[in-house]
Amino acid sequence: KFVAVLAATALAASPNLIVNGGFEDHALDACGNRKWCHITDPTFAAIAPWKVTSANKKFEIDKKVWSPNSDKPYTISQTIATVPGKHYVFKVALNQNRCQADGKKLSVDITGQETHNFTHNKSPGPFTSDWHQLKFQFVATSAESVVSLSDAGPSNLSCGPVVDDVEVREIPKCAAK
């Protein structure tokens, strides 16, 4: 028990390598007084240092979360400093826009790792908030890792997953699997 407490404390103490993982730090007020707004400019500073890296540039932001407009594949990416051979944990909160079909999918790619795909299914009721806390561990393969979040479908929808609280933290040696 004592080792587990130490490992959890050390993990919590390691800094989040993702900047603006909650999409709340805006270089400017992207949406004015509106709750949601559509962004189509790939150089738009509202989600910096995230960059829109897909050919399709349209996404939504509500000052707190990021949501691709999922009738096409959309991707945002951020480059972080990592140490080859060190263990890290990736975490994300996943929900979905309440419109259209169930089963919105998020794809997570990190340099040198296998792609992780997550599906969110609606909870009962039109106004329930059903955030899924998802995580996986990985070992860095280079000094820089690109973290990419993509809408993974279904492709015929106009609203997709909703993402918040993105984190990558180093796992202390004693806590790594």
Side-chain angles (χ1 to χ4, degrees), residues 92-114:
V92 66
L94 178 65
N95 205 330
Q96 65 176 326
N97 281 323
R98 298 282 174 218
C99 58
Q100 296 180 325
D102 205 7
K104 310 295 173 53
K105 296 179 182 178
L106 174 71
S107 178
V108 178
D109 287 296
I110 299 176
T111 303
Q113 310 303 313
E114 66 181 67

Side-chain angles (χ1 to χ4, degrees), residues 77-147:
S77 299
Q78 185 175 142
T79 302
I80 59 172
T82 51
V83 177
K86 290 219 174 200
H87 294 252
Y88 295 86
V89 62
F90 169 88
K91 294 181 182 180
V92 66
L94 178 65
N95 205 330
Q96 65 176 326
N97 281 323
R98 298 282 174 218
C99 58
Q100 296 180 325
D102 205 7
K104 310 295 173 53
K105 296 179 182 178
L106 174 71
S107 178
V108 178
D109 287 296
I110 299 176
T111 303
Q113 310 303 313
E114 66 181 67
T115 298
H116 286 79
N117 293 301
F118 301 105
T119 301
H120 185 286
N121 291 306
K122 286 184 185 177
S123 55
F127 301 108
T128 57
S129 178
D130 189 16
W131 287 95
H132 296 191
Q133 304 297 323
L134 309 167
K135 67 180 179 177
F136 62 87
Q137 293 183 14
F138 67 96
V139 178
T141 59
S142 62
E144 285 189 335
S145 295
V146 177
V147 177

